[in-house]
Amino acid sequence: MKRMQMFGLLNKDMDQIEKELYRSVQGDDDLLTETSLHLLKAGGKRLRPVFVLMGGKFGQYDLEKLKRVAIPLELIHSASLVHDDVIDDAELRRGELTVKAKWGDKIAMYTGDYIYAKALVMTSELGNPRIHQILSKAMVEMSIGEMEQIRDFFNSEQSVRHYLRRIRRKTALLIAISCQLGALAADAEPNTARLLYDYGYNVGMAFQIRDDLLDLSGTEKQIGKPPGSDMRQGNITLPVIYSLEDQRLRSALLTELASIREGNSGVGRAIDLILSGEGISRAEELASRYIAKALEALDQLPSNRTKRNLKDIAFFVTGRSY
Amino acid sequence: MKRMQMFGLLNKDMDQIEKELYRSVQGDDDLLTETSLHLLKAGGKRLRPVFVLMGGKFGQYDLEKLKRVAIPLELIHSASLVHDDVIDDAELRRGELTVKAKWGDKIAMYTGDYIYAKALVMTSELGNPRIHQILSKAMVEMSIGEMEQIRDFFNSEQSVRHYLRRIRRKTALLIAISCQLGALAADAEPNTARLLYDYGYNVGMAFQIRDDLLDLSGTEKQIGKPPGSDMRQGNITLPVIYSLEDQRLRSALLTELASIREGNSGVGRAIDLILSGEGISRAEELASRYIAKALEALDQLPSNRTKRNLKDIAFFVTGRSY
């Protein structure tokens, strides 16, 4: 998955962020540099830095300041991925071997710790306690979200509300504060920062729902890992929850989930069951509702070119492939 | 191992810190609250908060401010212990089951992440970017130290310098900044903060050497886990390095280390070999030299009751049991 390339004006700044992202984890220790770079160079859409820069466009845009928010946010996101891969026993991410697969659980754990700490050092250079506070509170929520996910592994009784709370913590919050912190680092109006937070939150929710949908309906090439990976790991996502609500599918799907849980096959059959019902379209429908809310927040922001770009991203997230 | 009880005047403040330490990890999630409290309630000497309060005595002592440094430092230390226990496959810590042993590696990992993040939220409430920066840089160093430790597992060729660099990162740095940040949070003179850092650094080095010594020469009751646990995990400490330098012991000790590495017995025999030579006394000698340096830094500080107490701690660290 490659970096987003749709925002001509930001591309140069994003190139610089990409370089500094690599530089930010270098030098202290050969092995940590190697594992961290392996992770970062596997790519990613760099959504969080993009949102920071766009948030910055609503105030005094200063790349030097914005970098000190954008890079830490991408680092925190990346660190959470290394730790996730330990939990999920994931072999592949973005088509590359995970740090966990290449170096083992222990080294992956300290790689995450190291990247988290590096992120915090860079934020501290901004000298803005409010930004530090928003960031560290988000880290608390993220770790709670991860814990909820462990606890909900293979829990076929979980509700939609449960799922939404989890993805709010796991994904939406960090995207929301990316937009907000970009605005704050650029001294934008408080109300602008708040609206950008709302936009980011709703885009983040839609984004995670789409990601979970793709895991079921995408191809291995599209998603960089085998389809159904979430289910294989016990991560019950929205389309699965909706499908379990469908009495025509419920018992057959429960049987497959039990079989997957015991390490037997069943993922392919489970996906076929889900595709045969309305789970996918209901989840798409909910993602669209979040996008509509994101656009509502956008409507209240001053008109400028960035606002148009943010609208494009919202549509891009609802798009079928990315 | 119980909290240090030698500083009459600080005891009341330490009681309050103990309570707030428990409160600091509560509320967000039942399982994370339970695992975090299990860890914190197993006790510990609370050396880092004690040093913060004592550092604060060299400036405008304000418990409310000092707490926001003392609690995060103890939390960061505790979080690093949960992650260490995952790496070391440790079953017991301070005589209690580790989080890892009770809940497994994955939950232990997120418990550490959660406690780190909670620590950072509390520090951010101080609104002092310099303190945040010192703390996050220390976290980077700690994770590098942990990585060095993994890489040096069972490395019988490592030098004393290697070992000292590792314990500097793993232990001494956090104790040094505990003293320093207490002074900074109390707006003490910069030179005072610097001397307190030097004191803490040297006490921390001596403390870790003593801890590593106790693992070989202490009883299970004294240390809360079976003697020789470090060696069993592959952690080669100073007395072992010194003993390997002794040509009369070297080959026999290498044989035992190889046997331990392969999961066979040998710890008892290795300890007997080490006790028969001068490894223990040479390590004790080096610890004493660090204590002497700590006292030198102390000498340059203004005289007050706290300075006396800091001297007591330095001697307490060199003492045989604690």
Side-chain angles (χ1 to χ4, degrees), chain B residues 4-134:
Chain B
M4 292 180 53
Q5 287 289 349
M6 47 196 310
F7 313 106
L9 283 174
L10 290 181
N11 269 339
K12 231 181 75 194
D13 291 354
M14 284 299 296
D15 285 344
Q16 200 179 323
I17 284 182
E18 190 73 16
K19 266 185 224 144
E20 294 210 15
L21 194 58
Y22 299 158
R23 210 176 300 144
S24 72
V25 295
Q26 278 171 36
D28 300 289
D29 177 274
D30 290 346
L31 182 54
L32 281 169
T33 300
E34 190 183 348
T35 55
S36 302
L37 282 178
H38 174 81
L39 173 75
L40 294 174
K41 292 200 166 165
K45 292 175 289 301
R46 311 300 187 217
L47 259 187
R48 290 147 198 88
V50 164
F51 281 130
V52 170
L53 297 188
M54 294 179 99
K57 291 284 184 191
F58 289 84
Q60 306 294 319
Y61 187 95
D62 175 347
L63 184 60
E64 285 309 307
K65 280 189 182 175
L66 292 166
K67 270 190 325 205
R68 290 190 162 66
V69 177
I71 293 172
L73 277 162
E74 187 66 18
L75 290 177
I76 288 170
H77 170 61
S78 304
S80 79
L81 296 183
V82 205
H83 280 185
D84 283 1
D85 288 339
V86 174
I87 300 302
D88 299 339
D89 279 327
E91 288 293 308
L92 290 176
R93 165 151 328 254
R94 296 166 185 151
E96 302 272 347
L97 277 183
T98 59
V99 174
K100 174 230 141 60
K102 210 165 163 191
W103 286 277
D105 283 2
K106 294 172 180 188
I107 286 177
M109 192 177 74
Y110 283 129
T111 298
D113 288 3
Y114 171 74
I115 296 176
Y116 275 129
K118 277 289 192 180
L120 294 160
V121 171
M122 192 176 282
T123 324
S124 73
E125 288 164 3
L126 260 174
N128 184 329
R130 175 131 187 257
I131 291 179
H132 173 205
Q133 194 162 23
I134 293 171

Side-chain angles (χ1 to χ4, degrees), chain A residues 187-248:
Chain A
D187 296 318
E189 294 289 321
N191 192 45
T192 300
R194 200 182 51 72
L195 287 169
L196 283 165
Y197 178 97
D198 289 346
Y199 164 83
Y201 170 79
N202 287 296
V203 164
M205 293 297 284
F207 175 74
Q208 186 61 54
I209 294 172
R210 290 285 323 162
D211 212 49
D212 293 344
L213 273 165
L214 262 185
D215 185 67
L216 293 166
S217 61
T219 63
E220 175 151 0
K221 189 154 178 266
Q222 266 179 315
I223 56 182
K225 54 187 176 179
S229 295
D230 285 336
M231 233 181 333
R232 201 170 288 113
Q233 291 152 10
N235 184 11
I236 306 289
T237 58
L238 188 59
V240 184
I241 297 172
Y242 281 143
S243 303
L244 285 166
E245 286 178 358
D246 183 338
Q247 292 312 320
R248 289 163 305 175

Side-chain angles (χ1 to χ4, degrees), chain B residues 111-182:
Chain B
T111 298
D113 288 3
Y114 171 74
I115 296 176
Y116 275 129
K118 277 289 192 180
L120 294 160
V121 171
M122 192 176 282
T123 324
S124 73
E125 288 164 3
L126 260 174
N128 184 329
R130 175 131 187 257
I131 291 179
H132 173 205
Q133 194 162 23
I134 293 171
L135 210 57
S136 44
K137 282 189 175 165
M139 287 169 69
V140 171
E141 292 294 319
M142 281 171 74
S143 63
I144 296 172
E146 300 294 353
M147 198 63 129
E148 287 171 340
Q149 181 161 324
I150 296 185
R151 204 167 9 194
D152 288 339
F153 272 161
F154 288 110
N155 171 10
S156 48
E157 299 305 318
Q158 63 188 288
S159 65
V160 171
R161 222 177 102 236
H162 219 114
Y163 165 84
L164 294 175
R165 190 179 66 186
R166 197 169 67 225
I167 67 168
R168 184 184 82 81
R169 287 182 156 138
K170 232 188 72 174
T171 307
L173 201 57
L174 203 64
I175 293 184
I177 70 167
S178 299
C179 298
Q180 179 194 21
L181 293 180

